[in-house]
Amino acid sequence: CHHCESKSASAPAETSKIHYEKFWLYRHCSSVQQRDRQAQKAGQLFSGLLAMNVVFLGSAFISSMIFNKVAITLADVWILLSILKVLCLFWIISYLLGISQQPHAVLYRDSHAGAIWIRGSVLLFGSCSVLLNVFQIGYSTILIHCKSRVEIVFPSIGILFICTQAYFLWHHSKDCIQVQHNFTRCGLMLTIATNLLLWLLAVTNDTLHVEIEAQLREVEWRLAGKAPSSHPHWCNETTLCTCPNTTICQVFQKGYILLYPFNTEYCLICCSVLYVMWKNVGRRISHHHIPHTKPKFKLQGVVFGPLLGTSAIIIGACVFMMYQIQVTSSVPSRQVFVIYYSYYIVLLPLMSVGAVIGTIIHALEKKELDTLKNPTRSLDVVLLMGAALGQIGMSYFSIVALVATDPRDLLNSLSLSYSVLLIFQNITQNVFVIDGLHRRRTPPGKEEDTKEAQNWEAYSQRRVSVLELGQEIRKASLSYIHTYSHLSWKRRVLREISFFLVLCNIILWVMPTFGAHPLFENEMERSFYGYSTWFVIVNFGLPLGVFYHMHSVGGLLEIYVTA
């Protein structure tokens, strides 16, 4: 009866299912997809092994130069890196003129990759790195009688490499290349390895810094009427190759020291962008991964965040100018270090409290997690966690030195508080940003968006006369307040916190980028660990710290826009 009918009805369905699974086209398509995935894994493995071997070879050269300067010199390391740069240049040119020009080469573009702030940072730090190489060429040209030709050739190749790579990343960072997979992966990994080695050399090589510092100290001692022999720490054989007492040589020296952190920053950013391109090789993006409407940045719905953030930027700019004036003088006062650390001690707890409140609101929202595959977001998380290790590592080294010497001194106690608060702020901000990047956001109500669009469209299309100016400003203010009041309290607080943290991270990014390095200029840690050791620690942690704040701005802006 009914049971028999249902049984007979289900039988054809099962039969059709079995026949479908055994159908040759189904088996063929599944095997093609499987082979495609296996080829992709094999290509990634081979290119990764290539990069690993290049990094190990370069690291062995750099380590040998550090520990045995007779057998392996700095010139040998520069020759190796120059060869790698030339190989990368050949690959980039072949990609620009050959691979990317093939039919169906770039069928998909990753909308999440190559954000405008990342590409803008590549251009900014790339320009500063080019200027740094120009200063190095000028400095070596003036001292050509005691410098090797390699010290002029290496930065010259560096300028060509930086310009070509910046152009390549600006135009092709979003590419999901569909042809020449293995050649493209190997080229990208070779370029990543070259940038990593350039970063490692910049972190560990203090030869030119010691040389310039020795000459600057010698000039200060002569002005102060002291004998250089009373300061054996700065006296070495580099004083034999002395820069002549000319303005142009001093400009090259000061410019080189000021722009040095930009080069390391440029290498780190290029590695991150190139890694996303490597992950996107052969990637096919389905239509549901492509956002139809991309949220735009609007300065609406926030009041207290911009006010507090702008105040932090203005005060920070004043502290930075005072710091630069005092530190560049012959005898920097302790008072400027006290002011600098006090500014951080006030600002860092505010940022930490804001990040904790934002994390609690994320938990209260009960939004679903976005589980779609997104290489850019995965890299963002890794970079935030990895870049935070720079400041956290420097802070722990500083804490050990301060506790072991004299923590009750005013300056040392402020520096100790600064280091502890910096660790806590990095951890809380990381939790807030990473949690926010993985939350799915629901767009605002259609009615709210329609009213807002109508108000602003009418406002933009209307001609404003001089007599109507006050009335129009009043209407715009009322519209702003109306939009602000219609946001839910959770979204409103999230926008306030994220905008405040954006502005704070901007000033914390600007200050160390343009020369505020109290951990290096304060001689306590330097005398505790020694110049060369502390130089490596600071040049490892400082660029990572700058990169962390810059990368945090991108993540916080995304949280602000999607809130």
Side-chain angles (χ1 to χ4, degrees):
C1 297
H2 180 71
H3 176 68
C4 298
E5 290 176 2
S6 62
K7 185 175 180 181
S8 62
S10 62
E14 293 176 0
T15 306
S16 63
K17 183 178 180 181
I18 293 171
H19 280 293
Y20 176 72
E21 289 177 353
K22 292 182 178 179
F23 194 49
W24 71 270
L25 185 60
Y26 177 83
R27 294 198 309 270
H28 177 73
C29 290
S30 62
S31 62
V32 168
Q33 291 176 353
Q34 188 176 3
R35 284 201 301 269
D36 185 57
R37 284 195 296 269
Q38 289 175 349
Q40 183 177 2
K41 295 291 184 183
Q44 290 179 346
L45 176 63
F46 181 78
S47 59
L49 288 172
L50 172 66
M52 184 183 69
N53 281 277
V54 172
V55 170
F56 280 155
L57 175 63
S59 301
F61 262 77
I62 294 172
S63 301
S64 302
M65 177 202 71
I66 294 171
F67 298 113
N68 191 349
K69 294 186 178 181
V70 178
I72 301 294
T73 63
L74 181 60
D76 298 327
V77 177
W78 279 345
I79 291 171
L80 173 66
L81 291 177
S82 298
I83 294 171
L84 292 176
K85 285 181 181 179
V86 170
L87 291 175
C88 292
L89 283 172
F90 279 129
W91 177 82
I92 292 174
I93 293 171
S94 69
Y95 183 93
L96 294 174
L97 302 180
I99 297 175
S100 62
Q101 303 299 321
Q102 294 182 21
H104 312 294
V106 185
L107 297 176
Y108 310 96
R109 290 176 69 83
D110 187 357
S111 59
H112 298 283
I116 185 63
W117 66 271
I118 293 181
R119 290 183 291 149
S121 301
V122 169
L123 291 184
L124 172 64
F125 292 118
S127 303
C128 294
S129 299
V130 168
L131 196 58
L132 172 72
N133 284 304
V134 170
F135 286 154
Q136 186 175 357
I137 292 171
Y139 179 74
S140 301
T141 304
I142 292 175
L143 301 175
I144 193 65
H145 60 280
C146 56
K147 296 281 186 180
S148 65
R149 301 293 189 274
V150 181
E151 297 189 42
I152 299 176
V153 175
F154 178 72
S156 302
I157 297 175
I159 292 174
L160 184 60
F161 175 72
I162 291 168
C163 295
T164 308
Q165 183 175 246
Y167 176 84
F168 166 67
L169 295 179
W170 178 264
H171 289 281
H172 296 277
S173 59
K174 295 178 180 290
D175 288 1
C176 298
I177 198 73
Q178 302 298 321
V179 296
Q180 300 287 338
H181 290 180
N182 292 331
F183 183 63
T184 303
R185 287 193 184 99
C186 291
L188 288 169
M189 270 297 167
L190 179 64
T191 313
I192 290 174
T194 304
N195 280 282
L196 282 175
L197 291 175
L198 289 170
W199 171 75
L200 182 62
L201 179 64
V203 167
T204 56
N205 178 36
D206 62 345
T207 305
L208 196 54
H209 272 78
V210 172
E211 179 179 323
I212 293 174
E213 288 281 355
Q215 295 180 23
L216 293 176
R217 297 288 178 179
E218 187 178 354
V219 172
E220 291 174 6
W221 295 330
R222 287 174 179 173
L223 292 174
K226 298 178 182 179
S229 58
S230 61
H231 300 271
H233 174 72
W234 295 100
C235 292
N236 47 45
E237 290 120 8
T238 58
T239 53
L240 298 174
C241 191
T242 307
C243 188
N245 190 17
T246 57
T247 305
I248 186 65
C249 192
Q250 293 176 1
V251 168
F252 287 149
Q253 287 180 332
K254 294 281 188 180
Y256 182 85
I257 292 178
L258 179 64
L259 294 173
Y260 195 78
F262 288 96
N263 188 36
T264 53
E265 197 69 26
Y266 174 76
C267 296
L268 290 175
I269 295 175
C270 289
C271 286
S272 64
V273 179
L274 290 165
Y275 176 78
V276 173
M277 291 186 66
W278 179 76
K279 292 288 288 185
N280 281 333
V281 172
R283 184 185 175 199
R284 296 178 177 88
I285 302 176
S286 57
H287 291 290
H288 67 274
H289 283 189
I290 302 173
H292 296 287
T293 56
K294 192 173 182 180
K296 295 181 180 180
F297 178 83
K298 293 181 180 180
L299 192 61
Q300 285 185 289
V302 286
V303 175
F304 302 105
L307 289 177
L308 290 174
T310 305
S311 302
I313 287 180
I314 293 173
I315 297 172
C318 296
V319 171
F320 174 71
M321 286 187 288
M322 290 173 57
Y323 178 87
Q324 285 295 95
I325 293 171
Q326 287 290 326
V327 167
T328 52
S329 62
S330 57
V331 185
S333 64
R334 284 168 53 93
Q335 190 68 25
V336 70
F337 289 102
V338 172
I339 295 172
Y340 186 91
Y341 285 129
S342 300
Y343 171 73
Y344 270 81
I345 289 171
V346 173
L347 184 62
L348 291 176
L350 293 176
M351 297 175 67
S352 302
V353 170
V356 170
I357 294 173
T359 306
I360 294 172
I361 292 175
H362 278 154
L364 293 175
E365 276 189 319
K366 298 179 181 179
K367 298 288 184 183
E368 293 182 3
L369 293 177
D370 189 359
T371 57
L372 291 176
K373 185 180 179 181
N374 189 339
T376 306
R377 184 178 58 200
S378 302
L379 181 65
D380 284 340
V381 174
V382 173
L383 289 177
L384 281 173
M385 298 295 292
L389 295 178
Q391 287 187 318
I392 292 174
M394 277 199 306
S395 298
Y396 276 118
F397 276 106
S398 183
I399 288 171
V400 171
L402 291 164
V403 172
T405 50
D406 186 14
R408 288 170 294 183
D409 180 66
L410 173 62
L411 187 58
N412 290 354
S413 62
L414 288 174
S415 180
L416 181 64
S417 303
Y418 159 79
S419 299
V420 173
L421 290 171
L422 190 62
I423 293 171
F424 186 69
Q425 189 273 328
N426 276 257
I427 294 172
T428 54
Q429 183 171 278
N430 267 358
V431 173
F432 172 61
V433 174
I434 293 171
D435 193 22
L437 291 177
H438 284 84
R439 296 280 174 175
R440 282 185 180 175
R441 298 287 172 207
T442 54
K446 293 181 179 179
E447 183 179 353
E448 179 186 331
D449 279 351
T450 306
K451 288 182 179 179
E452 181 186 340
Q454 289 174 352
N455 289 338
W456 284 103
E457 185 179 358
Y459 176 73
S460 61
Q461 291 179 355
R462 193 178 298 130
R463 291 179 176 273
V464 182
S465 64
V466 177
L467 296 175
E468 294 174 342
L469 184 60
Q471 186 178 0
E472 295 298 332
I473 292 175
R474 181 174 172 273
K475 288 181 179 179
S477 302
L478 290 174
S479 173
Y480 181 88
I481 295 170
H482 175 76
T483 305
Y484 180 78
S485 61
H486 273 66
L487 286 173
S488 67
W489 71 270
K490 293 176 186 176
R491 295 175 64 181
R492 191 186 310 166
V493 173
L494 272 180
R495 288 168 72 88
E496 298 280 8
I497 290 173
S498 56
F499 201 91
F500 168 69
L501 291 177
V502 164
L503 296 179
C504 290
N505 277 276
I506 287 174
I507 188 62
L508 295 185
W509 167 55
V510 168
M511 291 173 73
T513 300
F514 291 95
H517 310 142
L519 287 175
F520 193 73
E521 281 142 0
N522 183 15
E523 295 187 359
M524 203 283 301
E525 291 96 340
R526 190 165 61 185
S527 60
F528 183 85
Y529 289 106
Y531 180 85
S532 297
T533 304
W534 190 240
F535 178 88
V536 173
I537 294 171
V538 171
N539 277 288
F540 176 81
L542 181 64
L544 285 177
V546 173
F547 183 78
Y548 172 76
H549 288 299
M550 187 188 64
H551 206 74
S552 297
V553 169
L556 290 165
L557 281 176
E558 186 171 345
I559 295 174
Y560 172 82
V561 169
T562 53

